[in-house]
Amino acid sequence: MQDCIFCKIVKKEIPAEIVYENDHVLVFKDVKPASPIHLLLIPKKHIPTFFDLQPEDSQIIGEVQRAAATVARDMGLAEKGFRLVSNCMEDAGQLVFHMHYHMLAGRPLQWPPG
Ligand code: 5GP
Ligand code: ZN
């Protein structure tokens, strides 16, 4: 999608610190980290929110979640773990309308979030 910042990162039109990539998934560092490790995991396909998911997107979303485990293992998080969270629309504070998961890790995380 033309004006989507994450689509621009997928197309390498704007820079990002990419840590993992495959045919359907891109993982890069959040520009404003909220924890020592703060990654964004996105489908390369432009899907604005969960409400836009189509039946054929199930495999892509599954791949995003599997990428979380791959990246976490590679980053040495297999023992301590991580949090995967996705903000959907206004009340959750979604700012970028290209579906994504935040991976937060590297410190004990409070629950529930604010
Ligand atoms: P949301 O509130 O939509 O769940 O979170 C969007 C996230 O994207 C925020 O944590 C924000 O810091 C991050 N972000 C926004 N623009 C950019 C960008 O251009 N590059 C990177 N790496 N992260 C971004
Ligand atoms: Zn997009």
Side-chain angles (χ1 to χ4, degrees), residues 48-67:
T49 80
F50 281 80
F51 294 114
D52 301 297
L53 282 169
Q54 302 300 311
E56 62 269 24
D57 296 328
S58 297
Q59 192 178 341
I60 292 175
I61 296 306
E63 284 205 31
V64 175
Q65 298 191 6
R66 281 198 320 118

Side-chain angles (χ1 to χ4, degrees), residues 1 4-8 44-47 97-99:
M1 200 209 184
C4 171
I5 194 152
F6 286 179
C7 282
K8 286 182 181 166
K44 287 187 171 177
K45 179 180 175 185
H46 182 84
I47 304 168
F97 282 78
H98 179 132
M99 237 188 110

Side-chain angles (χ1 to χ4, degrees), residues 5-6 9 28-32 40 87 93-96 100 102:
I5 194 152
F6 286 179
I9 289 174
F28 52 97
K29 293 185 183 179
D30 195 296
V31 78
K32 208 176 146 197
L40 298 170
N87 298 319
Q94 184 175 5
L95 296 174
V96 179
H100 54 278
H102 297 253

Side-chain angles (χ1 to χ4, degrees), residues 15-43:
E17 283 194 71
I18 294 170
V19 301
Y20 178 85
E21 179 169 17
N22 67 26
D23 284 351
H24 299 295
V25 180
L26 190 70
V27 182
F28 52 97
K29 293 185 183 179
D30 195 296
V31 78
K32 208 176 146 197
S35 52
I37 295 172
H38 186 172
L39 305 177
L40 298 170
L41 297 87
I42 70 170

